[in-house]
Amino acid sequence: MLKKLIRLSSYPLILGICAAGIILLDFHNDRLWPWSTLIALAGVLAVGLLERFAPFEPRWLQTQDDVLTDLWHNFINLSLIQFASVVLFVWTDSVPTDWRLWPTDWPFAAQLLIVAVILDLSLYVMHRLSHDVNWLWKLHAIHHSPERLYWLNGERRHPVHALLLAAPGLTLLAIVAAPQNLIAIWFAILTVHLAFQHSNLDYTLGPLRKWLGVAEVHRWHHKREFEDAQVNYGEFFMIWDRLFGTFYAVERRVNADELGLRDRTFPRTYWGQLKYPFTTDSHARSKA
Ligand SMILES: [Zn+2]
């Protein structure tokens, strides 16, 4: 009964409560920091806790020398994106005023949707390029290195790659003078979504899984066979995969030993993973 409840309601309930909390906070306070971050972290922790009760794959509950490394990835990358968006918006003061095309008189929900769509498309394009362009793949391979998926994997990325993924969308939003609070709201919601997307939680979104990048479709993207992983790139919306022909309707569950890279000697420490893209044979080792 509990497992069924978790399976059907955890995503809409936790993501919904976190999103509503962050948006209400924005309506009643001038500053989102640090409460929006704390709400997002509570959402991520809830995913981690629920995994213990209803795991998708019980064998993935066993740590693989990865928790400390992933905590570092989360801390560094979430801080970096926050810092980058603040710096970018200081710079926009020098952008000509006639470039500031943001529709400030549109309803809040419509403005938030524009932010979400621009950032999501940017993430999709950069993610797809990261599989095709060799030097980008060297940076992105870190994200594909886990041999189990769990709540902390969403932010396992090289910090340079985390910045590159968000850069086009963030720059465009800064140029058109999108309100900074909307970007902070969307990144906080996305943080909770990414924990779900990579979680070892047995949950389902039913037919909606064809439209949102939840674990049911995203686990396939982490398959060890590089050829299999060229689908389901979407971060939040699956609309880009469907439009550009990279959507794959997953028909069977991914098995416990099917994840990771062909290179089974991938470094496990944070520092080792930071250095990995700059080792001479890293591209060949991770794809071949
Ligand atoms: Zn990928």
Side-chain angles (χ1 to χ4, degrees):
M1 179 65 185
L2 178 66
K3 283 190 173 180
K4 193 173 179 189
L5 198 67
I6 291 173
R7 185 170 157 73
L8 296 176
S9 65
S10 56
Y11 183 90
L13 209 62
I14 294 174
L15 197 88
I17 289 172
C18 290
I22 294 162
I23 290 167
L24 281 174
L25 190 72
D26 182 57
F27 285 170
H28 294 291
N29 283 284
D30 291 338
R31 287 163 60 92
L32 283 166
W33 171 262
W35 300 108
S36 61
T37 306
L38 291 176
I39 292 172
L41 288 180
V44 171
L45 280 172
V47 177
L49 191 68
L50 289 178
E51 283 185 358
R52 316 305 301 180
F53 295 102
F56 170 79
E57 173 51 68
R59 279 173 284 179
W60 291 347
L61 290 177
Q62 300 290 324
T63 61
Q64 297 180 356
D65 229 358
D66 48 2
V67 175
L68 184 63
T69 299
D70 287 327
L71 284 171
W72 272 113
H73 279 299
N74 275 268
F75 175 71
I76 299 286
N77 291 345
L78 292 175
S79 308
L80 203 61
I81 292 293
Q82 202 131 23
F83 179 72
S85 54
V86 170
V87 168
L88 203 62
F89 276 78
V90 171
W91 164 75
T92 55
D93 285 343
S94 56
V95 170
T97 46
D98 50 348
W99 288 9
R100 296 177 187 175
L101 301 168
W102 192 256
T104 45
D105 52 343
W106 283 23
F108 173 88
Q111 292 190 45
L112 185 62
L113 187 65
I114 301 174
V115 167
V117 166
I118 289 175
L119 282 175
D120 210 56
L121 178 59
S122 160
L123 292 171
Y124 172 85
V125 171
M126 291 305 292
H127 188 181
R128 199 161 162 193
L129 283 174
S130 302
H131 281 241
D132 293 337
V133 179
N134 285 346
W135 68 271
L136 281 172
W137 170 255
K138 286 186 183 185
L139 293 163
H140 184 49
I142 292 168
H143 185 67
H144 282 262
S145 66
E147 296 187 348
R148 67 171 183 137
L149 284 177
Y150 73 116
W151 60 292
L152 285 174
N153 285 145
E155 291 296 336
R156 182 191 279 213
R157 300 170 200 273
H158 198 285
V160 175
H161 193 243
L163 282 178
L164 285 173
L165 281 175
L170 268 182
T171 307
L172 179 62
L173 288 169
I175 288 172
V176 297
Q180 214 173 342
N181 64 321
L182 291 180
I183 292 166
I185 290 169
W186 186 250
F187 272 127
I189 293 171
L190 198 59
T191 300
V192 182
H193 170 80
L194 285 178
F196 270 108
Q197 188 183 51
H198 295 84
S199 73
N200 181 22
L201 182 63
D202 186 22
Y203 73 101
T204 180
L205 229 57
L208 269 181
R209 69 179 182 277
K210 293 178 179 171
W211 299 99
L212 295 180
V214 285
E216 287 172 283
V217 287
H218 192 71
R219 287 187 189 110
W220 197 268
H221 183 76
H222 281 263
K223 281 195 77 200
R224 176 170 289 114
E225 301 309 312
F226 184 77
E227 297 75 13
D228 286 352
Q230 312 311 302
V231 295
N232 299 353
Y233 293 90
E235 295 280 327
F236 191 84
F237 301 112
M238 293 307 289
I239 190 163
W240 318 118
D241 283 288
R242 298 177 76 93
L243 274 175
F244 301 120
T246 53
F247 178 72
Y248 174 62
V250 179
E251 282 159 13
R252 70 158 174 89
R253 62 179 278 135
V254 173
N255 294 321
D257 56 355
E258 286 189 300
L259 302 183
L261 296 171
R262 284 174 174 151
D263 176 13
R264 307 298 289 269
T265 61
F266 201 88
R268 291 186 186 271
T269 64
Y270 184 70
W271 181 237
Q273 292 186 0
L274 279 195
K275 285 191 301 182
Y276 179 83
F278 308 104
T279 56
T280 49
D281 61 344
S282 58
H283 167 244
R285 278 167 58 203
S286 58
K287 268 189 181 175

